[in-house]
């Protein structure tokens, strides 16, 4: 079974530029999560989707971050414009459903904002 | 609100020695508890979870953890570590849905870097 795929693996941008990350969850997984992991900290949930609907985006900085999950499969997370403090690893995870507690994580995208 | 505190940011240990990684949580209602491992440049992998029942939980790679409700702890242990156990370990808590907590929403601790020396 293929795992959660993410791309790119690494990205370096200047502040005020835009960037987008892509995630392809495990086939059949209805729930998709985006986490932000700042160096030295644990992952923090940014947004949770159930199929193509948003379940929880309470910690998403909506003035600069946006996310979508078209057709309930792949998802993209965008930052526009980026700030220095956005430097982090962005992790995507998926699970069979919101009532299923085990989440499967992708390898992450490491973003460096200069 | 829930929170998780991992008491040690780094734990060095020699190969074949026992290890304990400490985790305390804060919540006013019942929760579910997890340990994840993160190898360099990889995503997180679930080691074990406590949902209910026996307070001693066994996971993959010989790890186990004990849920202690009175001390609000969920410490991770392994009786004999290997070089390959070198990684970062995260304790996480999820609401059970009771008391308005979000079911399945994970709150992570800051992580403990385990380094196993030969």
């Amino acid at each position: 079974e293929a795992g959660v795929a993410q791309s790119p693996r690494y990205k370096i941008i200047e502040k005020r530029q835009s960037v987008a990350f892509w995630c392809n969850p495990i086939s059949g997984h209805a729930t998709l999560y985006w986490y932000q992991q700042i160096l030295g900290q644990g992952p923090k949930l940014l947004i949770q989707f159930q199929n193509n609907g948003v379940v929880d985006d309470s910690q998403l900085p909506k003035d600069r971050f946006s996310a979508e999950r078209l057709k309930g499969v792949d998802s993209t997370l965008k930052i526009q414009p980026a700030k220095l403090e956005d430097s982090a690893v962005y992790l995507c995870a998926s699970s069979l459903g919101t009532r299923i507690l085990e989440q499967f994580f992708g390898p992450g995208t490491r973003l460096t904002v200069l | 609100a829930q929170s998780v505190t991992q008491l040690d940011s780094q734990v060095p240990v020699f190969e074949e020695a026992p290890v304990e990684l400490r985790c305390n949580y804060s919540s006013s209602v019942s929760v579910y508890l997890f340990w994840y491992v993160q190898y360099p440049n990889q995503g997180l992998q679930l080691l074990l979870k406590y949902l209910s029942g026996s307070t001693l939980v066994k996971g993959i790679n010989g790890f186990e953890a004990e849920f202690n409700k009175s001390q609000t702890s969920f410490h991770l242990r392994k009786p004999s570590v290997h070089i390959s156990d070198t990684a970062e370990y995260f304790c996480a808590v999820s609401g059970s849905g009771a008391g308005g907590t979000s079911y399945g929403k994970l709150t992570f601790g800051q992580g403990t870097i385990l380094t196993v020396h030969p």
Side-chain angles (χ1 to χ4, degrees), chain A residues 1-2 6 10-11 19 21 29 37 51 53-54 56-57 60 62 69 81 83 88 93 96 98-99 102-103 106 111:
Chain A
E1 178 184 82
Q6 291 188 247
Y10 305 92
K11 190 74 177 179
V19 65
F21 313 126
H29 281 196
Q37 185 179 14
N51 295 312
V54 175
D56 184 348
D57 64 356
L60 186 74
K62 298 180 186 64
R69 190 181 183 199
K83 293 185 175 181
L96 281 168
T98 54
R99 304 302 296 178
E102 183 168 0
Q103 297 180 22
L111 173 67

Side-chain angles (χ1 to χ4, degrees), chain A:
Chain A
E1 178 184 82
V4 176
Q6 291 188 247
S7 68
R9 292 295 311 277
Y10 305 92
K11 190 74 177 179
I12 301 174
I13 61 172
E14 302 277 339
K15 60 183 179 183
R16 291 187 289 275
Q17 285 187 319
S18 302
V19 65
F21 313 126
W22 174 82
C23 172
N24 181 237
I26 293 173
S27 177
H29 281 196
T31 307
L32 185 147
Y33 310 80
W34 282 103
Y35 290 87
Q36 179 191 59
Q37 185 179 14
I38 293 172
L39 186 66
Q41 299 180 21
K44 183 185 80 172
L45 179 68
L46 292 176
I47 188 167
Q48 176 185 347
F49 290 94
Q50 174 68 10
N51 295 312
N52 59 353
V54 175
V55 174
D56 184 348
D57 64 356
S58 58
Q59 298 195 82
L60 186 74
K62 298 180 186 64
D63 57 333
R64 297 184 301 106
F65 285 65
S66 64
E68 61 182 9
R69 190 181 183 199
L70 299 176
K71 301 181 182 179
V73 182
D74 294 6
S75 177
T76 56
L77 176 69
K78 297 179 182 177
I79 307 176
Q80 180 179 8
K83 293 185 175 181
L84 296 177
E85 58 261 36
D86 298 331
S87 294
V89 175
Y90 291 85
L91 295 165
C92 179
S94 69
S95 68
L96 281 168
T98 54
R99 304 302 296 178
I100 305 298
L101 291 170
E102 183 168 0
Q103 297 180 22
F104 294 83
F105 285 79
T109 296
R110 183 177 298 276
L111 173 67
T112 302
V113 182
L114 302 175

Side-chain angles (χ1 to χ4, degrees), chain B residues 19-96:
Chain B
V19 70
E20 178 180 81
L21 306 184
R22 298 180 294 168
C23 171
N24 284 94
Y25 69 93
S26 173
S27 177
S28 58
V29 296
S30 61
V31 295
Y32 302 134
L33 294 156
F34 306 79
W35 275 99
Y36 281 84
V37 60
Q38 186 175 34
Y39 299 103
N41 298 315
Q42 294 186 29
L44 280 72
Q45 179 183 1
L46 182 66
L47 273 178
L48 49 78
K49 60 181 181 283
Y50 172 78
L51 305 182
S52 64
S54 173
T55 57
L56 183 62
V57 180
K58 294 190 182 297
I60 62 171
N61 301 339
F63 284 93
E64 62 182 31
E66 185 156 20
F67 170 61
N68 188 319
K69 187 175 182 179
S70 62
Q71 297 187 8
T72 60
S73 68
F74 190 56
H75 300 333
L76 181 70
R77 301 185 182 101
K78 187 170 182 178
S80 176
V81 294
H82 302 288
I83 297 287
S84 59
D85 292 323
T86 294
E88 188 161 18
Y89 292 78
F90 291 93
C91 182
V93 62
S94 162
S96 62

